[in-house]
Every structure is written in structure tokens, then in C-alpha cells.
């Protein structure tokens, strides 16, 4: 008999630098609880760190929603990053390696996308940005 799946749905405010640490630690804790391997945990935590930092720097902070997702026999963690910042004027351009509006390498959004199984982004200039990622436990 398989144990019942945990139901975790929680929101975490990301308003200052120290919130990033709590956010990463919570994602790591939940990933460990569902039995996600170390490599996949590292990929998810790296993507989490990048997206949360972007939300803080470019979006003025926001909310990260953490959920355990199941689809048939698949189990994973879905994270939604939502801010009410200035938005991204050209999402397609922002998803290209090397594009940056700051003093970075411009690898954040496309790099995060490569680390997870599912990635979506919606942004409206003047209203904010929502990025949703999903990492399967075994994928």
C-alpha cells in the first residue's frame, strides 16, 4: 500500500533578500519530503533562486506559491512567482540567452526554463509578471 500523498499549498512573500533564503530552504525541504533526488532538487532550487531574485529585483517583490502536483503516477513541485511590478515589455526577447536589462549575464529566465520540466511566463507591462514552473520528482 502506498502512503497518501501530501497536500501542500502555501504562499511565501518575497519582499527582501532574506526571504530568498527561506524560500529556497522551503523548496528543498518539500522536495526532500516527496523523495526528489539530489540532482533534481538542485535544478529546482537553482531555478527557484533565479526566479525569486528576479521577482525581488525587477518586480519589487511578490508571492511564491508552492504546490505538490500529481498527474497519474507523476509527482512534482509546482512553483508560481507572481509580482505586480513593471512587467516585461518583450517576453520573447527576455527568454533569449544573453538578454538583460541589468548588469547580469542574461541567463536567468532561459536558464531557469532549462532546469525544469514545464515553464510558462505571462507578463503585462505596468501590471506585473507571473512565472510558473514544474519539476517532476523523477524527471
Amino acid at each position: 500500500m502506498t502512503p497518501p500523498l501530501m497536500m501542500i499549498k502555501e504562499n511565501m512573500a518575497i519582499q527582501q533578500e532574506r526571504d530568498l533564503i527561506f524560500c529556497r530552504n522551503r523548496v528543498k525541504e518539500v522536495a526532500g519530503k516527496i523523495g526528489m533526488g539530489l540532482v533534481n532538487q538542485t535544478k529546482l532550487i537553482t531555478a527557484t533562486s533565479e526566479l525569486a531574485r528576479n521577482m525581488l529585483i525587477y518586480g519589487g517583490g511578490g508571492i511564491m506559491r508552492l504546490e505538490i502536483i500529481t498527474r497519474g503516477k507523476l509527482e512534482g513541485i509546482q512553483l508560481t512567482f507572481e509580482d505586480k511590478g513593471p512587467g516585461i515589455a518583450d517576453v520573447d526577447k527576455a527568454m533569449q540567452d544573453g538578454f538583460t536589462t541589468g548588469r547580469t549575464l542574461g541567463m536567468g529566465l532561459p536558464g531557469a526554463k532549462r532546469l525544469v520540466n514545464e515553464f510558462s511566463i505571462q507578463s503585462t507591462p505596468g501590471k506585473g509578471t507571473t512565472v510558473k514552473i514544474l519539476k517532476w520528482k523523477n524527471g
Side-chain angles (χ1 to χ4, degrees), residues 40-55:
N40 284 335
Q41 281 186 43
T42 301
K43 288 178 180 181
L44 180 60
I45 293 163
T46 301
T48 299
S49 184
E50 181 60 40
L51 295 171
R53 184 170 302 284
N54 278 0
M55 186 170 62

Side-chain angles (χ1 to χ4, degrees), residues 10 31 41 48 54 60 66 69 85 88 91-93 99-100 107-108 113 115 122 127-128:
E10 58 189 70
Q41 281 186 43
T48 299
N54 278 0
L66 183 152
I69 300 292
I88 301 170
V91 171
D92 290 335
K93 198 174 208 178
F99 176 80
T100 183
M107 302 300 282
K113 181 178 182 179
L115 293 170
Q122 294 181 317
K127 297 200 178 202

Side-chain angles (χ1 to χ4, degrees), residues 112-124:
K113 181 178 182 179
R114 284 190 290 271
L115 293 170
V116 297
N117 300 106
E118 295 180 20
F119 180 101
S120 67
I121 183 169
Q122 294 181 317
S123 190
T124 304

Side-chain angles (χ1 to χ4, degrees), residues 36-96:
M36 185 178 284
L38 188 57
V39 170
N40 284 335
Q41 281 186 43
T42 301
K43 288 178 180 181
L44 180 60
I45 293 163
T46 301
T48 299
S49 184
E50 181 60 40
L51 295 171
R53 184 170 302 284
N54 278 0
M55 186 170 62
L56 183 61
I57 293 170
Y58 300 110
I63 298 290
M64 182 189 84
R65 219 173 4 268
L66 183 152
E67 298 177 72
I68 293 177
I69 300 292
T70 56
R71 286 191 199 148
K73 294 182 179 184
L74 295 174
E75 186 176 25
I77 296 176
Q78 179 173 280
L79 302 172
T80 305
F81 300 85
E82 188 173 308
D83 69 54
K84 303 292 183 207
I88 301 170
D90 188 338
V91 171
D92 290 335
K93 198 174 208 178
M95 290 303 299
Q96 294 175 7

